[in-house]
């Protein structure tokens, strides 16, 4: 188990700081890959809300996949990008229930994904930064793909450049994207936490 993840405390000056967690071992049993698809709520669908969440384990096996009904009424299903249609959410699990199940699968795990800040925003849940393996921030992957270090690449671009694999050819699929992020992570897994590797420097956090 990870202790103190996401909890804050105050120091002598009254400043709030996030306590350092007791990390689990970074082994296959403690690594999952996450991807979420969003729909739009509110005026003109400008408010992003969780519409589907998929989690795969280290071996690419699906351990969670569900459509999710947002708290607010959906005004734009963003089907072109999300692949989500009205019929998918008609009997979907409510967000409050889905969040509990998703947190259960993520707690005590290292979480792989691409540009995960968007996923965590939709989930209204942010793990400790030390548990996050965000492939969009990994300079080593940009280097391997022959891309500029200063430019954040898309998941589609990285996967295509490194593996020659085409994803998101039409709409997105959260299972496919979670597996693609996992493939990218495994490509540099052995060196991910090597602070002496200049291509793994990451100022995101």
């Amino acid at each position: 188990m990870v202790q103190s993840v996401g909890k804050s405390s105050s120091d002598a000056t009254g400043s709030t700081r996030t306590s350092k967690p007791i990390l689990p071992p970074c082994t296959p049993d403690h690594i999952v890959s996450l991807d979420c698809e969003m729909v739009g709520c509110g005026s003109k669908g400008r408010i992003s809300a969780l519409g589907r969440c998929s989690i795969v384990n280290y071996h690419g096996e699906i351990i969670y996949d569900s459509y999710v009904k947002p708290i607010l009424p959906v005004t734009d299903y963003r089907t072109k990008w999300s692949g989500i249609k009205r019929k998918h959410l008609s009997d979907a699990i409510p967000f409050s229930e889905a969040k509990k199940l998703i947190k259960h699968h993520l707690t005590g795990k290292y979480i792989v994904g691409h540009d995960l800040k968007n996923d965590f925003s939709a989930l209204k849940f942010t793990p400790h930064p030390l548990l996050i393996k965000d492939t969009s921030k990994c300079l080593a992957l940009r280097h391997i793909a022959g891309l500029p270090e200063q430019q954040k690449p898309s998941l589609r671009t990285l996967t295509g450049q490194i593996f020659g694999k085409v994803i998101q050819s039409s709409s997105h699929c959260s299972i496919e994207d979670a597996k693609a992020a996992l493939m990218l992570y495994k490509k540099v897994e052995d060196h991910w936490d090597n602070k002496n590797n200049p291509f793994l420097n990451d100022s995101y956090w």
Side-chain angles (χ1 to χ4, degrees):
M1 287 293 291
V2 179
Q3 299 178 12
S4 302
V5 176
K7 293 183 179 179
S8 300
S9 58
S10 297
D11 57 23
T13 65
S15 300
T16 301
R17 59 184 175 80
T18 301
S19 54
K20 186 175 180 178
I22 298 173
L23 299 173
C26 195
T27 58
D29 287 347
H30 293 90
I31 297 172
V32 297
S33 187
L34 165 75
D35 189 77
C36 298
E37 300 299 342
M38 320 307 176
V39 293
C41 299
S43 177
K44 298 183 179 180
R46 292 173 179 167
I47 301 173
S48 290
L50 182 67
R52 184 184 181 185
C53 178
S54 301
I55 304 171
V56 300
N57 65 16
Y58 183 84
H59 306 290
E61 299 164 338
I62 300 168
I63 58 176
Y64 181 86
D65 178 44
S66 181
Y67 290 102
V68 180
K69 181 175 290 187
I71 297 173
L72 297 174
V74 178
T75 52
D76 184 355
Y77 288 88
R78 302 179 183 176
T79 305
K80 180 179 178 180
W81 298 277
S82 70
I84 298 173
K85 300 178 180 180
R86 182 187 298 271
K87 64 180 181 181
H88 294 137
L89 301 188
S90 59
D91 295 314
I93 183 173
F95 174 77
S96 59
E97 294 180 30
K99 182 178 178 180
K100 293 177 183 177
L101 293 171
I102 294 165
K103 285 186 69 175
H104 170 74
H105 287 293
L106 299 182
T107 299
K109 306 292 186 181
Y110 290 93
I111 305 167
V112 175
H114 194 83
D115 213 4
L116 283 167
K117 64 182 180 182
N118 297 319
D119 300 76
F120 294 139
S121 176
L123 289 168
K124 303 186 187 303
F125 163 67
T126 305
H128 193 284
L130 293 176
L131 294 173
I132 298 171
K133 308 287 188 181
D134 194 329
T135 55
S136 76
K137 309 300 177 183
C138 180
L139 299 186
L141 290 171
R142 300 180 197 181
H143 175 66
I144 294 170
L147 300 172
E149 292 181 15
Q150 299 77 19
Q151 180 179 335
K152 182 171 71 175
S154 67
L155 180 62
R156 176 185 170 90
T157 297
L158 279 179
T159 304
Q161 291 291 106
I162 294 176
F163 299 110
K165 179 180 174 64
V166 178
I167 63 170
Q168 303 170 353
S169 55
S170 52
S171 58
H172 292 210
C173 170
S174 50
I175 294 175
E176 179 183 55
D177 290 354
K179 289 183 177 182
L182 182 64
M183 287 173 57
L184 291 169
Y185 168 73
K186 287 183 176 181
K187 184 72 176 179
V188 294
E189 176 182 13
D190 292 342
H191 309 288
W192 188 280
D193 294 315
N194 181 359
K195 302 189 185 322
N196 295 320
N197 187 333
F199 297 114
L200 288 169
N201 292 335
D202 184 350
S203 60
Y204 180 66
W205 299 109

